[in-house]
């Protein structure tokens, strides 16, 4: 991508409305724009990051055996009347009428709809277990939307829903998502700790929130320090192994970890003082087992091996991609801007032409740009005629992991500078060596 032809509206000044660093940096880097309270456009740079986050979420959901579909944002109120949540949900639900005066709503979550899809076609235990997910916008009319896309009214959610014949089966399905979440957040460059959670209006009795420690987090959390160093289930994890996944779950729930709603002071105090961590955190994911809470009122049942009909046991599993992007920034930035983990960076590398219009600089940059693009890298080429200082500041602000800097003096020697955004380390090397770092 040539910056001269891109759309990346950088702000020079710090926006006054932004209270936390991620919100400030997302606005300054031209990633998002507020359209009305708590409702955002994702501008091209932000959209790239969001897509990468969703790509990782999708890969890990698929690896764990979940199957992607797509459900609509607008739902009929009838379904929610069946479950009893149409009246229970309260003011957070945006209710709408269509031209026939039929009550509709903008989905805050999808348990009812997915249960309807399930009951319409699954009739036998032989078709279980089943886990269906989508990555879709949700709307919740939050009282206090704030911190940019961290807490917005319209936001994106990956929501998965599992269906099993028995409680034991549902626990295995739960453990699959538990392990998938550990892997997902790790690949996003985050350390998320599963904490026992309240089940809230969704109900049920087995639930964990995945929390990232951050000073700006809205939740107060208490946990054992050792979680910070626990091993993440690796790529070879067998998601079909009931014992293997139970072992992962048992290990990751063996020590104290709870949000303030579930906090047990006495149990926490039993942890040796030096091993206690009491901090603030951001909830980035939440998983629930809720048994037959929806399948019973909505009549979602299958025939079991005994020939009888059984209401299915369900769970739901949410991750907030539009909250994760600012959460990653909260965890990874410095005074100059964002520092993206390579896995979600909007571009892999930015090529900075320090003197656009200078033949040697232009030729060198074009060569590198073409070679890296051909190698399948996402390259941003700063070919604008801005001052070098402005270009450096922009590259640092948008947080691309590697900068290749081509200035007249180095280029005359057949060299460029390669800068690591995170460490700030700069290295002068031949043009060929710079290319090979990415192509190899
Ligand atoms: P919170 O306690 O932060 O209000 P919640 O418990 O109501 O969230 P869930 O129903 O558990 O949210 O939703 C699953 C995930 O969706 C959350 O873990 C979070 O990542 C994301 N999410 C929920 N509400 C919002 C929001 N208003 N803005 C952005 N992301 C959200
Ligand atoms: Mg939650």
């Amino acid at each position: 991508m040539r910056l001269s032809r891109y759309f990346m509206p950088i702000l020079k000044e710090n926006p006054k409305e932004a209270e936390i660093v991620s919100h400030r940096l997302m606005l300054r880097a031209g990633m998002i724009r507020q359209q009305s309270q708590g409702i955002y456009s994702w501008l091209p740079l932000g959209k790239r990051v969001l897509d990468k986050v969703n790509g990782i979420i999708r890969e890990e959901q698929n690896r764990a055996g979940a199957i992607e579909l797509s459900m609509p944002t607008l739902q009929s109120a009838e379904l929610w009347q069946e479950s009893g949540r149409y009246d229970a949900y309260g003011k957070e639900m945006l209710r709408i009428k269509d031209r026939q005066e039929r009550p509709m709503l903008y989905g805050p979550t999808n348990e009812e709809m997915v249960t309807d899809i399930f009951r319409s076609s699954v009739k036998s235990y032989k078709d279980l277990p089943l886990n269906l997910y989508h990555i879709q916008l949700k709307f919740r009319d939050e009282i206090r939307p704030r911190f940019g896309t961290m807490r917005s009214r319209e936001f994106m959610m990956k929501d998965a829903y599992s269906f099993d014949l028995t409680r034991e089966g549902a626990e295995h399905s739960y453990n699959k998502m538990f392990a998938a979440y550990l892997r997902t957040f790790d690949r996003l460059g985050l350390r998320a700790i599963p904490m026992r959670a309240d089940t809230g209006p969704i109900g049920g009795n087995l639930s964990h929130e995945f929390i990232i420690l951050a000073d700006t987090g809205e939740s107060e959390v208490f946990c054992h320090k050792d979680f910070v160093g626990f091993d993440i289930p690796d790529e070879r994890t067998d998601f079909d192994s009931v014992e293997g996944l139970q072992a992962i779950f048992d290990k990751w729930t063996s020590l104290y970890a709870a949000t303030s709603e579930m906090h047990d002071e006495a149990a926490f105090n039993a942890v040796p003082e030096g091993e206690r961590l009491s901090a603030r955190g951001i909830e980035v994911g939440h998983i629930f087992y809720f048994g037959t809470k929806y399948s019973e009122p909505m009549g979602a049942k299958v025939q079991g091996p005994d020939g009888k009909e059984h209401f299915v046991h369900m769970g739901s599993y949410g991750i907030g991609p539009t909250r994760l992007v600012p959460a990653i920034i909260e965890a990874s930035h410095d005074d100059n801007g964002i520092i993206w983990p390579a896995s979600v960076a909007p571009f892999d590398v930015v090529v900075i032409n320090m003197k656009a219009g200078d033949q040697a600089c232009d030729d060198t940059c074009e060569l590198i740009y073409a070679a890296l693009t051909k190698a399948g890298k996402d390259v941003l080429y700063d070919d604008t005629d801005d001052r070098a200082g402005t270009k450096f500041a922009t590259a640092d602000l948008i947080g691309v992991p590697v900068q290749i800097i081509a200035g007249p003096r180095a280029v005359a020697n057949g060299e460029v500078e390669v800068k690591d955004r995170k460490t700030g380390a700069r290295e002068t090397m031949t043009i060929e060596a710079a290319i090979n770092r990415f192509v190899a």
Side-chain angles (χ1 to χ4, degrees), residues 228-394:
V228 178
F230 267 21
D231 285 340
I232 300 295
D234 69 22
E235 273 183 358
R236 293 160 302 175
T237 303
D238 177 2
F239 283 85
D240 291 326
S241 163
V242 173
E243 302 76 35
L245 288 194
Q246 191 61 41
I248 292 170
F249 176 85
D250 289 345
K251 177 168 185 224
W252 278 87
T253 53
S254 60
L255 300 173
Y256 189 85
T259 60
S260 55
E261 296 98 58
M262 298 294 283
H263 186 47
D264 174 348
E265 195 74 37
F268 187 56
N269 286 336
V271 176
E273 196 172 350
E275 293 161 30
R276 283 181 224 153
L277 194 62
S278 101
R280 302 203 67 83
I282 302 168
E283 178 198 323
V284 288
H286 197 164
I287 60 178
F288 300 87
Y289 162 71
F290 46 74
T292 58
K293 182 177 156 101
Y294 299 96
S295 57
E296 277 195 52
M298 295 186 68
K301 49 193 172 189
V302 295
Q303 192 172 53
D306 56 4
K308 296 197 186 112
E309 306 243 276
H310 300 266
F311 291 114
V312 287
H313 288 250
M314 293 175 59
S316 73
Y317 313 91
I319 293 185
T322 49
R323 176 178 289 179
L324 272 167
V325 174
I328 293 167
I329 297 174
E330 290 295 325
S332 185
H333 65 270
D334 64 14
D335 289 346
N336 298 326
I338 303 165
I339 303 174
W340 292 115
S343 59
V344 298
F347 295 97
D348 300 313
V349 52
V350 51
V351 176
I352 301 176
N353 186 341
M354 280 174 68
K355 204 173 177 196
D358 174 276
Q359 196 63 48
C361 284
D362 290 354
D363 290 348
T364 299
C365 289
E366 291 290 346
L367 182 83
I368 296 171
Y369 178 49
L372 297 186
T373 303
K374 190 165 167 233
K377 298 295 161 191
D378 283 331
V379 190
L380 180 65
Y381 172 25
D382 189 344
D383 59 341
T384 63
D385 46 23
D386 286 340
R387 288 181 310 108
T390 305
K391 294 190 179 198
F392 294 149
T394 298

Side-chain angles (χ1 to χ4, degrees), residues 38 89 92 108-109 111 138-140 142 144-146 148-159 181 185 198 201-202 208-210 218-219 261 282-288 317-324:
Y89 213 93
E92 283 200 357
T109 177
E111 281 79 7
K138 305 283 180 287
F139 193 94
R140 293 181 188 173
E142 302 262 356
R144 254 191 102 195
R146 58 179 186 158
T149 65
M150 188 78 89
R151 177 171 299 284
S152 50
R153 297 198 296 164
E154 187 188 59
F155 61 96
M156 196 168 270
M157 203 199 287
K158 181 290 297 177
D159 37 329
Y181 276 36
F185 298 125
D198 195 9
I202 289 182
H208 287 87
E209 285 181 356
F210 286 74
E218 292 181 289
S219 317
E261 296 98 58
I282 302 168
E283 178 198 323
V284 288
H286 197 164
I287 60 178
F288 300 87
Y317 313 91
I319 293 185
T322 49
R323 176 178 289 179
L324 272 167

Side-chain angles (χ1 to χ4, degrees), residues 68-229:
E68 186 171 12
L69 46 56
S70 178
M71 292 177 268
T73 52
L74 292 181
Q75 307 188 18
S76 143
E78 272 170 38
L79 274 179
W80 289 68
Q81 281 154 350
E82 280 190 54
S83 73
R85 277 208 293 183
Y86 189 63
D87 296 323
Y89 213 93
K91 283 195 182 276
E92 283 200 357
M93 182 186 276
L94 181 64
R95 297 156 208 258
I96 312 159
K97 283 214 173 110
D98 71 8
R99 65 197 298 164
Q100 270 94 31
E101 294 289 310
R102 275 187 298 245
M104 311 277 295
L105 57 100
Y106 193 131
T109 177
N110 280 59
E111 281 79 7
E112 283 80 356
M113 188 173 278
V114 78
T115 303
D116 177 58
I117 292 173
F118 179 91
R119 72 180 172 186
S120 71
S121 47
V122 182
K123 305 289 180 204
S124 164
Y125 75 96
K126 290 181 188 157
D127 297 323
L128 301 183
L130 184 65
N131 184 326
L132 300 173
Y133 79 96
H134 69 164
I135 302 178
Q136 177 62 289
L137 293 170
K138 305 283 180 287
F139 193 94
R140 293 181 188 173
D141 204 350
E142 302 262 356
I143 284 195
R144 254 191 102 195
R146 58 179 186 158
F147 302 156
T149 65
M150 188 78 89
R151 177 171 299 284
S152 50
R153 297 198 296 164
E154 187 188 59
F155 61 96
M156 196 168 270
M157 203 199 287
K158 181 290 297 177
D159 37 329
Y161 303 89
S162 66
F163 302 88
D164 284 270
L165 180 66
T166 61
R167 174 168 179 133
E168 295 69 47
E171 283 175 5
H172 181 206
S173 294
Y174 187 91
N175 291 347
K176 285 184 193 173
M177 288 292 110
F178 189 95
Y181 276 36
L182 291 173
R183 287 190 47 76
T184 302
F185 298 125
D186 183 61
R187 287 185 60 193
L188 296 172
L190 296 168
R191 171 53 53 146
I193 301 172
M195 306 204 180
R196 281 192 55 206
D198 195 9
T199 47
I202 289 182
N205 51 18
L206 177 60
S207 176
H208 287 87
E209 285 181 356
F210 286 74
I211 305 271
I212 284 160
L213 304 180
D215 294 339
T216 48
E218 292 181 289
S219 317
E220 209 186 343
V221 300
F222 306 86
C223 70
H224 196 290
K225 265 202 176 127
D226 283 2
F227 277 120
V228 178

